[in-house]
Amino acid sequence: MASVTANWETQAAKCRSILEQSIPRSHLLSPDQIPPVSQKRVIDYPRESGMLSEQELLITRSTAADLVSQMSCGAWAAEEVMRAFLKRATMGQQLLNFATEFLEESALVKARHLDEIFKKTGKIAGPLHSVPISVKEHIGIKGRVCNAGFVSWCDNISPDDAYVVQFLQEAGAIVHVRTNQPQSLMHVDAANNITGRTLNPWNRNLSPGGSSGGESASVSFGCSPLGVGTDMGGSVRMPAAFTGIYGLRPTAARLPLAGLQAAGPGQQSIPASVGPLARSLEDLELFMQSILDQEPWQKDPSLTPVPWRSVDAPANLTIGIMKDDGVVRPHPPISRALKVAEAKLRAAGVNVVEWEPFKHQEIYDLANAFFAADGFQHLKEVLEASGEPVLPLTHAAFSWGEEMTIYMNWQLNYNREVFRAQYHGLMKLLGVDCILSPTYPGVAPEHETGTYIGYTSVWNVLDHPVVVLPTGLHVDPSLDPEEVSYMPRNKLDAAEHKKYSAHTFKDAPVCLQLIGQRFGDEMLLAAASHVEKATRSP
Amino acid sequence: MASVTANWETQAAKCRSILEQSIPRSHLLSPDQIPPVSQKRVIDYPRESGMLSEQELLITRSTAADLVSQMSCGAWAAEEVMRAFLKRATMGQQLLNFATEFLEESALVKARHLDEIFKKTGKIAGPLHSVPISVKEHIGIKGRVCNAGFVSWCDNISPDDAYVVQFLQEAGAIVHVRTNQPQSLMHVDAANNITGRTLNPWNRNLSPGGSSGGESASVSFGCSPLGVGTDMGGSVRMPAAFTGIYGLRPTAARLPLAGLQAAGPGQQSIPASVGPLARSLEDLELFMQSILDQEPWQKDPSLTPVPWRSVDAPANLTIGIMKDDGVVRPHPPISRALKVAEAKLRAAGVNVVEWEPFKHQEIYDLANAFFAADGFQHLKEVLEASGEPVLPLTHAAFSWGEEMTIYMNWQLNYNREVFRAQYHGLMKLLGVDCILSPTYPGVAPEHETGTYIGYTSVWNVLDHPVVVLPTGLHVDPSLDPEEVSYMPRNKLDAAEHKKYSAHTFKDAPVCLQLIGQRFGDEMLLAAASHVEKATRSP
């Protein structure tokens, strides 16, 4: 027992050392430049600290599309852009602990190479020319450790770049930093026994979400303009929502999963997606189109050969608003954001209808049953292989369900197909193009307290594409007081209700999610653009 | 026990009575017009019997494309066409027992309706205008029993037409007869305890194949020009191959499965496909295009939104020939057909390379393991619910494997993904567009003796589209003598080797299967057309 314990710590230290060795030395803040731990809000620190030049601030506040635009006219050099992001990412690491590894040297070599190409040809190398991207750690990078948050995988070297990374690189993007994730990849949080806990730049007492919490910290703080996460129950969307950025969970089997590591590969009842986190809707589309224009299905036969099809939202766009999933009532700021959105959408002439939650509890239960279908046997094996401590939120996941038989799994798969057909039929019947809903009962929860994923996981079961977008609103105690008289409808609801405190969440950003129709990712983003224009108008 | 037995027979008799009552009275042959049971070959009986007029023979020998062509210029009326097929189908029923139910009245009503439309508009109602189609019984028809070969489902009424039927009808097709299938849908044969055994028109001592054996008898005998089958391990392809016709197992999730009944719904490790059986390659394409042009994914969210894309085969078409899967050696007529095809393809300037079987045994084992994953629990429940006798080939299927855990299933799903990626990569690497191979070790086996499905089931695991096409060759004892000195390589091989007798299979048609790349159904049919032209040249 003692030797196992010694061993896991040694193994974890190896990966921690990789991280520490990789942090760009030249950009490190000295201890006196680092804000005190008691300073919760650090989202404005890059500007406030005075450590970044105006040009560096300008670059690192840019979207990927803007960066490419500036580089394509020669205004900014690739290396200059990369150095600015590496500098800001180093600051981000010291403040938020979002990274698992920096790739400074290779990123700079690649950026200089792209500068040379641009100098010679006058042309950019691709639609993501030298865009620095952060990548969630369990998405493999050739020759580097891929531990997926597990100590027992700290010696697991990826033989190749994951396919999604290959396509992004082919489009010109450069991976400059890899990001943190929770043990088991099943927390609404981002802490593990290897590189520890990632913090939320809006309020370091709050969670950046999970499992793509390193990504949300990275993109929201400006460590990268664009990040790559994964989502099997909300793991792109909750992090995006908690940090006030954009995130897309595409329809499954559009983007390649080859080269990702996680417990329970081969599970196919609830499909996983890889998806982007960004600071604009345009960048989400740029990400998708840059990959799909390369016809990734030619390389990966598990993908569907559906190209990216640029579309306009229908002229009579109809948005269903689901204000409450009927299981867990949203916190006041979320409900306020939905009301504001509804009014603004109506004012902008968008058709808005009430969307009654449809079999939400049943589909949420189905998601949990699917996650637990093997009794978490593979996950437990991977944990036991090192003897690392099982973290509380991993323990909590174990309660989602129990091992089931194949017989039961087939029945539940069948039920899932029925639900998918019913949802599809209902949206058609009601003429609803997209559904606007909470992403989570509240804004970013306090660390270790995020548990209810029912607002996101149902869409994984149904395999609808979903985009998270900021509303521009923030928690305001004067507008979002606690509902002291509310009588919770069940235990889950009571637990989530208790977590709300206007004071605790003051100023946290409020995001919503917009849900499209299966394979309608393009239409979803077009609709999101309409929704954003309408809801962000004064 | 006695009451259960009484019950199953009563239940089965209900469905048998539906069949008997539905057989078109006016077309019934009198006992003296029926060839004796000892007459094995009846494929030419429609002509030889003199019971059909020249016009009826002409109509019922036509492909669907030709029928539509004749009807679109007004040369033939829809009702005339339908009556001719009903007449031939009635003869087919008396000789082959291929049907479970005739839909004479509704078919004639619909045909007359289409004639009226044509009279009024001068235009056909769709690309399958009044094409009579036979449909495998487990594909539901609104308001009619759908028993899927199980006695316990003899009261199961379909609330709607299966989606595939709806799309075919929307294209103008008319279902005039429903066809037989084996108990459990897992036999390489077509016999059940309800409507009994279907025979092969080339030799009634031989099997029409299974599970779509009613369909293959129907289309090969001319009861319908086009039929609808299903394939999860070879159930369209073996029947097509055994009766000398064409059959397509499309890539999964292109055609809708909604409204089909079978044991074990929700199983998704080995995907099922619905697919056409026909008497020309052109008709297979007509079938696919007629459905896909309606964008079935708009109705059924389980489908991939991939339209039918007309393509040409590449100018430098390369065919890999797999002469033997390394598990079971093909019988002499199949090996001869492959040799002939190879020589003719080369003579026609097509690139031909040897395709070494790749992990064939492992993938075959995987298929069997997937079929057995729930320990056949659902299948057994459906059988036990009526107490009907379990037929020998159902018993045989039970030996394919044992119940597995979810943990194991996930691992095997993962292995399957690896195999898919490897196959895809290997075909790309070798520049092989399609693989030509046996469909089965031999031609149509004797009843109850067909067991080895490894030549077909591997492609279900890999989810490649596959087309079966006749070679124009038939078993010829002088060219296909038994290989008396052959030393079988394993038990399976020994068992299949023993089954061959040139005399037994004399004159049986020889077909081969051509395997494409996932989602490359269009390219596959284009390539098949090249292969056919080359191999059918003198």
Side-chain angles (χ1 to χ4, degrees):
Chain A
M1 192 72 184
S3 75
V4 169
T5 308
N7 186 52
W8 83 255
E9 287 173 329
T10 312
Q11 285 298 98
K14 274 197 214 172
C15 279
R16 213 156 43 240
S17 167
I18 290 173
L19 167 62
E20 282 158 13
Q21 295 301 315
S22 74
I23 298 175
R25 292 277 158 271
S26 56
H27 299 311
L28 271 178
L29 304 179
S30 61
D32 63 302
Q33 291 169 324
I34 298 176
V37 173
S38 61
Q39 182 179 330
K40 297 188 291 183
R41 181 184 171 107
V42 296
I43 192 80
D44 305 315
Y45 193 76
R47 184 176 47 77
E48 291 169 354
S49 67
M51 303 294 300
L52 273 72
S53 69
E54 280 306 314
Q55 174 73 351
E56 285 166 342
L57 285 170
L58 190 60
I59 287 171
T60 54
R61 272 201 307 252
S62 299
T63 63
D66 286 342
L67 291 170
V68 174
S69 167
Q70 294 292 337
M71 289 188 277
S72 70
C73 67
W76 296 347
E79 185 176 355
E80 176 188 17
V81 167
M82 186 56 75
R83 285 193 186 279
F85 277 103
L86 282 165
K87 186 169 177 183
R88 189 157 178 155
T90 303
M91 181 183 284
Q93 174 59 16
Q94 290 184 278
L95 271 53
L96 306 169
N97 191 42
F98 79 99
T100 63
E101 184 174 12
F102 283 77
L103 306 178
E104 180 185 22
E105 194 183 323
S106 62
L108 287 172
V109 166
K110 287 175 184 175
R112 282 191 288 263
H113 178 64
L114 291 184
D115 278 335
E116 278 166 31
I117 288 178
F118 183 77
K119 233 179 259 172
K120 273 186 205 156
T121 65
K123 284 181 186 162
I124 55 172
L128 295 173
H129 179 92
S130 202
V131 171
I133 52 170
S134 48
V135 177
K136 193 173 177 181
E137 196 269 356
H138 80 123
I139 301 171
I141 302 285
K142 185 175 181 171
R144 300 190 176 270
V145 169
C146 186
N147 61 47
F150 294 114
V151 173
S152 63
W153 287 355
C154 280
D155 288 325
N156 176 20
I157 308 288
S158 297
D160 270 307
D161 291 329
Y163 278 13
V164 67
V165 171
Q166 292 183 33
F167 287 111
L168 289 167
Q169 288 175 161
E170 187 63 30
I174 298 174
V175 185
H176 66 307
V177 65
R178 303 176 69 197
T179 64
N180 207 27
Q181 64 219 339
Q183 181 189 60
S184 83
L185 297 172
M186 298 185 80
H187 306 184
V188 184
D189 217 330
N192 59 50
N193 290 318
I194 305 165
T195 43
R197 173 177 306 288
T198 299
L199 310 177
N200 186 324
W202 290 91
N203 179 339
R204 294 196 288 176
N205 283 359
L206 303 183
S207 169
S211 63
S212 310
E215 279 307 314
S216 64
S218 171
V219 175
S220 62
F221 192 79
C223 304
S224 70
L226 193 57
V228 192
T230 52
D231 191 319
M232 200 162 81
S235 280
V236 159
R237 288 165 288 157
M238 290 183 287
F242 295 173
T243 57
I245 59 172
Y246 300 79
L248 176 68
R249 182 257 171 221
T251 304
R254 292 200 73 174
L255 298 185
L257 298 177
L260 275 66
Q261 298 300 321
Q267 183 284 123
Q268 61 182 49
S269 290
I270 183 164
S273 289
V274 63
L277 296 94
R279 289 199 304 276
S280 75
L281 284 172
E282 190 187 6
D283 277 6
L284 298 180
E285 178 155 5
L286 179 62
F287 180 101
M288 293 299 289
Q289 182 154 15
S290 295
I291 296 175
L292 289 173
D293 280 359
Q294 295 177 59
E295 305 193 343
W297 53 87
Q298 301 283 3
K299 185 181 180 79
D300 181 347
S302 73
L303 302 181
T304 51
V306 179
W308 188 260
R309 304 149 295 182
S310 283
V311 295
D312 292 321
N316 60 345
L317 179 67
T318 299
I319 304 289
I321 298 197
M322 185 175 82
K323 290 182 180 155
D324 186 324
D325 70 0
V327 185
V328 170
R329 181 180 167 89
H331 291 174
I334 305 293
S335 295
R336 175 168 63 94
L338 281 165
K339 270 184 221 153
V340 170
E342 183 178 11
K344 290 198 172 183
L345 285 167
R346 286 192 199 282
V350 174
N351 301 324
V352 176
V353 299
E354 195 84 10
W355 180 272
E356 291 293 325
F358 179 70
K359 300 190 180 177
H360 205 95
Q361 173 90 50
E362 283 167 80
I363 304 174
Y364 168 63
D365 290 344
L366 202 54
N368 288 344
F370 285 147
F371 287 128
D374 80 333
F376 296 105
Q377 192 181 338
H378 188 238
L379 173 54
K380 287 174 180 172
E381 274 178 17
V382 178
L383 289 169
E384 283 160 14
S386 71
E388 66 172 303
V390 177
L391 298 179
L393 285 179
T394 306
H395 265 302
F398 290 158
S399 73
W400 292 353
E402 292 187 352
E403 184 181 358
M404 66 174 81
T405 60
I406 299 283
Y407 178 83
M408 174 64 77
N409 200 170
W410 289 3
Q411 287 192 317
L412 297 186
N413 288 343
Y414 177 77
N415 293 351
R416 179 200 62 203
E417 290 306 299
V418 171
F419 288 137
R420 286 182 180 181
Q422 288 176 337
Y423 248 94
H424 183 77
L426 197 57
M427 287 180 79
K428 290 248 166 194
L429 183 73
L430 301 177
V432 167
D433 298 300
C434 297
I435 299 169
L436 188 68
S437 96
T439 315
Y440 186 77
V443 294
E446 294 181 275
H447 295 296
E448 294 289 307
T449 70
T451 48
Y452 179 66
I453 64 170
Y455 278 98
T456 48
S457 65
V458 295
W459 308 108
N460 298 81
V461 171
L462 297 170
D463 194 22
H464 284 226
V466 189
V467 63
V468 164
L469 59 175
T471 60
L473 304 177
H474 295 257
V475 177
D476 179 339
S478 71
L479 297 173
D480 307 313
E482 292 84 355
E483 299 176 295
V484 286
S485 63
Y486 178 66
M487 295 295 291
R489 43 177 90 119
N490 57 48
K491 265 191 185 175
L492 260 176
D493 192 29
E496 295 300 328
H497 176 66
K498 255 191 215 162
K499 291 175 188 168
Y500 183 65
S501 141
H503 173 74
T504 303
F505 300 116
K506 184 171 181 295
D507 294 338
V510 181
C511 290
L512 294 172
Q513 70 180 347
L514 190 69
I515 298 126
Q517 298 180 11
R518 193 164 186 237
F519 284 109
D521 307 68
E522 295 87 341
M523 178 61 73
L524 172 65
L525 290 186
S529 179
H530 271 246
V531 169
E532 174 154 88
K533 260 180 225 141
T535 58
R536 301 299 284 271
S537 65
Chain B
M1 191 65 184
S3 75
V4 169
T5 307
N7 186 51
W8 83 256
E9 287 173 329
T10 311
Q11 284 298 96
K14 274 196 214 173
C15 280
R16 215 158 40 241
S17 168
I18 290 173
L19 167 61
E20 282 158 13
Q21 295 300 317
S22 74
I23 297 176
R25 292 276 159 270
S26 56
H27 300 312
L28 271 178
L29 303 179
S30 60
D32 62 301
Q33 291 170 325
I34 298 175
V37 172
S38 61
Q39 182 178 329
K40 296 188 292 184
R41 180 184 171 107
V42 297
I43 191 81
D44 303 316
Y45 192 75
R47 184 175 48 77
E48 290 170 354
S49 67
M51 303 294 299
L52 273 72
S53 69
E54 280 306 315
Q55 174 73 352
E56 285 165 344
L57 285 170
L58 189 60
I59 288 171
T60 54
R61 271 200 310 251
S62 298
T63 63
D66 286 343
L67 290 170
V68 173
S69 167
Q70 293 293 336
M71 289 188 277
S72 70
C73 66
W76 296 346
E79 185 177 354
E80 174 189 19
V81 166
M82 186 55 75
R83 286 194 185 279
F85 276 103
L86 282 166
K87 186 170 177 182
R88 189 158 177 154
T90 304
M91 181 184 283
Q93 174 59 17
Q94 290 184 279
L95 272 53
L96 306 169
N97 190 43
F98 79 101
T100 63
E101 183 174 12
F102 283 76
L103 305 177
E104 182 185 20
E105 193 184 323
S106 63
L108 287 172
V109 166
K110 287 175 184 175
R112 282 193 288 263
H113 177 64
L114 291 184
D115 277 336
E116 277 165 31
I117 289 177
F118 184 76
K119 233 179 259 173
K120 273 186 205 154
T121 66
K123 283 180 186 163
I124 54 172
L128 294 174
H129 180 89
S130 202
V131 171
I133 51 169
S134 48
V135 178
K136 193 175 178 181
E137 196 271 354
H138 80 122
I139 301 171
I141 302 287
K142 184 174 181 172
R144 300 190 176 271
V145 170
C146 186
N147 63 46
F150 293 114
V151 173
S152 63
W153 286 355
C154 279
D155 288 324
N156 177 19
I157 308 288
S158 297
D160 271 307
D161 291 329
Y163 279 12
V164 66
V165 171
Q166 292 183 33
F167 286 110
L168 289 166
Q169 289 175 159
E170 187 63 31
I174 298 175
V175 184
H176 67 307
V177 64
R178 304 175 67 198
T179 64
N180 206 27
Q181 64 218 339
Q183 181 188 61
S184 84
L185 296 172
M186 298 185 79
H187 306 184
V188 184
D189 216 328
N192 59 50
N193 289 319
I194 305 165
T195 43
R197 174 178 304 289
T198 300
L199 310 177
N200 187 324
W202 290 90
N203 178 339
R204 294 196 288 176
N205 283 359
L206 304 183
S207 169
S211 62
S212 311
E215 278 309 313
S216 64
S218 171
V219 175
S220 63
F221 192 77
C223 305
S224 70
L226 194 57
V228 192
T230 52
D231 191 319
M232 199 162 82
S235 280
V236 159
R237 289 164 287 156
M238 289 183 287
F242 295 174
T243 57
I245 59 173
Y246 300 79
L248 176 68
R249 183 255 171 222
T251 304
R254 292 200 74 175
L255 298 186
L257 298 178
L260 275 66
Q261 298 300 321
Q267 183 285 122
Q268 63 182 49
S269 291
I270 182 165
S273 289
V274 64
L277 297 94
R279 290 199 304 276
S280 76
L281 284 172
E282 191 188 5
D283 277 5
L284 298 180
E285 178 155 5
L286 179 62
F287 180 101
M288 294 298 290
Q289 182 155 14
S290 295
I291 296 175
L292 290 173
D293 280 359
Q294 296 177 59
E295 305 193 345
W297 53 87
Q298 301 282 5
K299 185 181 181 78
D300 181 347
S302 72
L303 302 181
T304 51
V306 179
W308 188 261
R309 305 148 295 181
S310 284
V311 295
D312 293 320
N316 61 345
L317 179 67
T318 299
I319 304 290
I321 298 198
M322 185 175 81
K323 291 183 179 153
D324 185 323
D325 70 1
V327 184
V328 170
R329 180 181 168 87
H331 292 175
I334 306 293
S335 294
R336 175 169 62 94
L338 281 164
K339 270 184 220 152
V340 169
E342 183 177 11
K344 290 198 170 183
L345 285 167
R346 285 192 199 283
V350 174
N351 301 324
V352 176
V353 299
E354 195 84 11
W355 181 273
E356 291 293 326
F358 179 70
K359 301 190 181 179
H360 204 95
Q361 172 91 50
E362 283 167 81
I363 304 175
Y364 167 62
D365 290 344
L366 203 52
N368 287 345
F370 284 147
F371 287 127
D374 80 334
F376 295 105
Q377 191 181 338
H378 188 239
L379 173 54
K380 286 174 182 175
E381 274 178 18
V382 178
L383 290 169
E384 283 161 15
S386 70
E388 67 171 303
V390 176
L391 298 179
L393 285 179
T394 307
H395 265 304
F398 291 158
S399 73
W400 292 355
E402 293 187 353
E403 183 180 358
M404 65 174 80
T405 61
I406 299 281
Y407 178 83
M408 174 65 77
N409 199 171
W410 290 3
Q411 286 192 317
L412 297 186
N413 287 344
Y414 178 76
N415 293 351
R416 180 200 61 201
E417 291 304 299
V418 171
F419 288 137
R420 286 182 180 180
Q422 288 175 336
Y423 248 94
H424 183 79
L426 197 55
M427 287 181 79
K428 290 247 166 194
L429 184 72
L430 301 176
V432 168
D433 298 299
C434 297
I435 299 169
L436 188 68
S437 96
T439 315
Y440 186 77
V443 295
E446 294 180 274
H447 295 295
E448 295 289 307
T449 69
T451 47
Y452 179 67
I453 64 170
Y455 278 99
T456 48
S457 65
V458 295
W459 307 109
N460 297 81
V461 171
L462 298 170
D463 194 21
H464 284 226
V466 189
V467 63
V468 164
L469 60 175
T471 61
L473 305 177
H474 294 257
V475 177
D476 180 340
S478 71
L479 297 172
D480 306 313
E482 292 83 357
E483 299 177 296
V484 287
S485 63
Y486 178 66
M487 294 296 292
R489 43 177 90 121
N490 57 48
K491 266 191 186 176
L492 260 177
D493 193 29
E496 295 300 327
H497 176 66
K498 256 192 215 162
K499 290 175 189 170
Y500 182 66
S501 141
H503 174 72
T504 303
F505 300 115
K506 185 172 180 295
D507 294 337
V510 180
C511 290
L512 294 172
Q513 70 180 347
L514 190 69
I515 298 124
Q517 298 180 13
R518 193 163 187 240
F519 283 107
D521 307 67
E522 294 88 341
M523 178 61 74
L524 172 65
L525 290 186
S529 178
H530 270 248
V531 169
E532 174 154 86
K533 260 180 224 141
T535 58
R536 301 298 285 271
S537 65

